[in-house]
Amino acid sequence: MDKKLKIGISACVIGQQVRFDKGHKKLYFCSDELSQFAEFKPVCPEVGIGLPVPRAAIRQISQGDVIKVSRADGSGDVTDALIHFGRNYALNQCGDLAGFIVCAKSPSCGMERVKVYHQNGKGSESNGVGLFTQQLMALNPLLPIEENGRLNDPVIRENFITRVFTFQHWLDFKSAGLTKHRLLTFHSHYKYLIMSHHIESYKTLGKLLARSDLELEEQANQYIFGLMNALKHHASRKTHTTTLQHLQGYFKKNLSSEKRQELAKEILSFRDGLTPLLVLLALINHHLRDYPNPYLSAQTYLNPHPKELRLRYGY
């Protein structure tokens, strides 16, 4: 993929000083590493609805079954404005986005565990969702969305970036025109990546594409929904081991007995946490160079994202 990804991002996370105190929440992974491969589309919903910088802090306040967003004293209610802004953005500004990175704990942008204060001012519960992000998720269920803080976790980071590159691939695929042959080819490239995340989805998506009773557009819609949900499951040493053992089978007629045993031993060593995943992938790619296999070489599993991002060090 030659063109850059387009990723939506909370403006403070890319370093813009738009927070209530004129601060930011810059995530250096985005500005210093991911920016090599992505063009960011920043947005601050609070500034977007006309709030100034600096400004009084706003919070989510529980009023019975209703959540309102206002200043701590209940004045300056911006609930409807944030919902309207988020809905308009989600419907009209996300068509070319491959992912979105939001600011954790924000009453407008938080994805989960946002503080919701009791109306009487006594205590809070961390069970809210930012009103802007709430609209983003509801109206763009396929769009990979993650919080800045969670992206410091190497497994979560790798999972999110894998989903972003996958969704960009799908957007490019759809823009080039949908045919049954191209849909099957797309899936053939993703089979082992899916297996490494969720074996049940691997089986279900194969059965879906074998059906002849669905219109192609409906089949494609069900497929991408199933694919993106499959990739939300975090790959583990167990699921990687299953996948690596399947890949091992492609070399059984080419490798010597000694080399087959070496590969099998390294896979089990990875399963037991003794060998890094990158060692296995390097070994498989080495065998692929010696014994080319176009089908295996086309597997996204082997290169789901640029090596420069160093994302598979968590395994």
Side-chain angles (χ1 to χ4, degrees):
M1 185 180 64
D2 296 326
K3 70 177 183 179
K4 284 190 171 186
L5 303 162
K6 186 170 284 188
I7 298 177
I9 192 166
S10 293
C12 61
V13 175
I14 203 61
Q16 294 185 12
Q17 295 176 296
V18 293
R19 285 175 58 79
F20 71 96
D21 57 359
K22 290 189 68 176
H24 61 77
K25 289 284 187 177
K26 189 173 184 177
L27 182 64
Y28 288 93
F29 168 68
C30 293
S31 60
D32 295 0
E33 299 178 50
L34 189 54
S35 59
Q36 300 175 63
F37 307 98
E39 171 190 338
F40 293 105
K41 183 177 180 179
V43 59
C44 175
E46 295 177 23
V47 172
I49 63 172
L51 296 181
V53 180
R55 57 186 176 273
I58 57 175
R59 58 172 55 175
Q60 293 195 5
I61 301 173
S62 173
Q63 298 183 5
D65 295 331
V66 178
I67 303 295
K68 294 290 185 179
V69 178
S70 67
R71 301 187 189 100
D73 62 4
S75 65
D77 188 328
V78 292
T79 309
D80 292 341
L82 281 174
I83 291 174
H84 178 76
F85 181 87
R87 181 175 178 80
N88 182 65
Y89 189 97
L91 290 174
N92 299 301
Q93 302 292 326
C94 294
D96 59 348
L97 297 184
F100 210 106
I101 299 169
V102 296
C103 183
K105 300 180 181 179
S106 162
S108 57
C109 290
M111 191 176 77
E112 59 183 22
R113 301 188 305 277
V114 173
K115 279 190 176 181
V116 180
Y117 291 84
H118 299 158
Q119 189 176 14
N120 58 18
K122 296 180 180 179
S124 62
E125 305 288 341
S126 295
N127 58 5
V129 178
L131 296 192
F132 171 78
T133 301
Q134 190 177 66
Q135 298 300 311
L136 204 62
M137 293 191 297
L139 297 171
N140 295 279
L142 296 176
L143 185 67
I145 300 174
E146 193 49 88
E147 291 184 334
N148 57 334
R150 283 167 48 90
L151 288 176
N152 290 313
D153 181 299
V155 174
I156 292 175
R157 178 185 294 189
E158 197 270 339
N159 178 274
F160 173 68
I161 298 300
T162 295
R163 288 187 287 129
V164 168
F165 273 92
T166 298
F167 195 53
Q168 182 64 61
H169 189 189
W170 178 259
L171 293 175
D172 295 342
F173 162 76
K174 285 295 294 290
S175 68
L178 177 63
T179 68
K180 184 60 178 283
H181 173 73
R182 293 188 67 248
L183 180 59
L184 292 173
T185 300
F186 183 97
H187 176 62
S188 73
H189 294 167
Y190 275 88
K191 287 180 69 174
Y192 288 114
L193 183 65
I194 298 167
M195 177 182 287
S196 72
H197 282 257
H198 196 232
I199 188 67
E200 289 80 6
S201 294
Y202 171 82
K203 297 174 182 177
T204 300
L205 290 172
K207 292 177 182 178
L208 170 66
L209 294 181
R211 291 177 60 178
S212 59
D213 60 324
L214 291 174
E215 294 290 336
L216 180 58
E217 190 70 34
E218 176 60 23
Q219 193 171 44
N221 288 340
Q222 289 190 30
Y223 175 79
I224 188 57
F225 185 83
L227 172 59
M228 298 308 296
N229 276 310
L231 296 184
K232 286 181 180 179
H233 294 268
H234 291 179
S236 64
R237 285 189 179 272
K238 180 179 179 181
T239 56
H240 274 303
T241 297
T242 299
T243 305
L244 291 165
Q245 288 172 335
H246 274 76
L247 299 187
Q248 179 187 12
Y250 285 89
F251 300 107
K252 62 183 179 182
K253 294 182 180 180
N254 303 113
L255 298 180
S256 67
S257 175
E258 181 181 356
K259 288 185 176 180
R260 286 200 305 271
Q261 290 176 21
E262 176 195 24
L263 181 55
K265 181 180 178 181
E266 289 294 349
I267 291 173
L268 294 180
S269 180
F270 164 76
R271 181 199 64 186
D272 295 337
L274 302 175
T275 298
L277 176 62
L278 291 176
V279 171
L280 267 301
L281 296 176
L283 188 55
I284 287 172
N285 279 311
H286 170 74
H287 291 323
L288 261 178
R289 286 191 294 272
D290 289 342
Y291 308 103
N293 182 307
Y295 179 78
L296 198 55
S297 295
Q299 289 302 311
T300 306
Y301 174 75
L302 296 176
N303 296 288
H305 33 62
K307 294 177 181 178
E308 293 86 346
L309 291 175
R310 300 180 299 235
L311 292 173
R312 278 181 155 172
Y313 287 83
Y315 299 99

